[in-house]
């Protein structure tokens, strides 16, 4: 509990125009236009963090990020970030070959598989797509996401061997995922 008696954590986030987001949410669609960033507060329950333990949350995010990078390598693609010390534990930007528009990957993933990937922005628009691996996400959920990415890559004409990235990520996770502390 905080000083106000509230069992939650407030964090500042950037979101699109709330009217646009709310309207799309009601129609179960993604917002496509009228995206004006502004600051809002988001509520994150303490109990999710305390149950797992902050150190374990940080380790899990690192583990999921590393597994994603193993998958990207197995696909024969590159991480947009080239310096290992700068790798993100929250998102991986994947560079696509010049003959593929990454926006098509993101669009196809959403329309065919209900898979939400991020677009490349600014200088990397059309050149990268982003895989998020942050928040209330576990190893099996990540493997499902990576499997979906492989299917999308195959659909858009990239010669990926289905299962290659999932296998690389799973092999890493098999040897690095500890027992869940609250279930021991």
């Amino acid at each position: 509990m905080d000083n106000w008696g509230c069992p939650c954590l407030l964090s500042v986030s950037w979101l699109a125009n709330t009217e646009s987001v709310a309207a799309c949410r009601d129609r179960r669609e993604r917002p496509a236009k009228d995206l004006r960033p502004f600051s809002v507060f988001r509520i994150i329950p303490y109990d999710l963090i305390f149950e797992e333990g902050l150190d374990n949350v940080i380790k899990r995010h690192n583990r999921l990020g590393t597994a994603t990078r193993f998958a990207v390598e197995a696909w024969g693609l590159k991480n947009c970030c080239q310096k290992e010390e700068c790798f993100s534990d929250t998102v991986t930007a994947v560079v696509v070959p010049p003959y593929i528009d990454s926006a098509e990957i993101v669009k196809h993933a959403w329309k065919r598989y209900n898979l939400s990937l991020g677009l490349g922005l600014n200088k990397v628009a059309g050149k990268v797509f982003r895989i998020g691996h942050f928040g209330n996400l576990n190893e099996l959920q990540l493997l499902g996401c990576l499997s979906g990415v492989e299917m999308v890559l195959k659909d858009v004409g990239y010669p990926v061997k289905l299962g290659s990235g999932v296998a690389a990520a799973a092999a890493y996770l098999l040897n690095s995922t500890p027992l869940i502390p609250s279930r021991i």
Side-chain angles (χ1 to χ4, degrees), residues 73-180:
E73 184 179 321
W75 297 331
L77 297 173
K78 299 214 179 293
N79 188 336
C80 186
C81 178
Q82 296 300 306
K83 295 181 181 178
E84 189 172 335
E85 64 272 12
C86 297
F87 285 166
S88 171
D89 289 339
T90 61
V91 66
T92 297
V94 182
V95 179
V96 298
Y99 65 90
I100 296 176
D101 180 357
S102 65
E104 285 303 311
I105 290 173
V106 173
K107 187 167 102 177
H108 187 78
W110 178 252
K111 287 184 172 185
R112 182 156 190 200
Y113 301 111
N114 196 32
L115 176 61
S116 185
L117 300 172
L119 290 166
L121 305 172
N122 202 347
K123 292 179 182 179
V124 293
K127 299 175 184 176
V128 307
F129 67 92
R130 295 174 294 126
I131 302 171
H133 35 78
F134 182 74
N136 191 16
L137 178 74
N138 67 36
E139 290 77 5
L140 295 180
Q141 290 168 323
L142 176 68
L143 292 173
C145 170
L146 297 174
S147 177
V149 171
E150 289 180 358
M151 293 164 66
V152 172
L153 288 171
K154 193 74 150 173
D155 286 347
V156 300
Y158 181 73
V160 65
K161 180 181 177 195
L162 293 178
S164 60
V166 173
Y172 169 75
L173 292 169
L174 184 65
N175 294 311
S176 65
T177 303
L179 292 173
I180 299 168

Side-chain angles (χ1 to χ4, degrees), residues 20-95:
S20 177
V21 171
C24 290
R25 183 189 63 229
D26 293 343
R27 292 189 313 267
R28 299 190 186 282
E29 296 174 356
R30 293 176 67 172
K33 60 181 180 175
D34 196 27
L35 301 179
R36 292 185 213 113
F38 66 100
S39 178
V40 297
F41 286 101
R42 215 175 81 191
I43 298 174
I44 304 167
Y46 277 153
D47 59 344
L48 293 177
I49 295 170
F50 287 138
E51 180 182 333
E52 186 175 0
L54 185 57
D55 286 343
N56 291 329
V57 169
I58 292 167
K59 288 176 186 173
R60 177 172 47 84
H61 288 126
N62 177 265
R63 195 167 52 248
L64 297 178
T66 301
T68 302
R69 290 185 287 276
F70 276 120
V72 170
E73 184 179 321
W75 297 331
L77 297 173
K78 299 214 179 293
N79 188 336
C80 186
C81 178
Q82 296 300 306
K83 295 181 181 178
E84 189 172 335
E85 64 272 12
C86 297
F87 285 166
S88 171
D89 289 339
T90 61
V91 66
T92 297
V94 182
V95 179

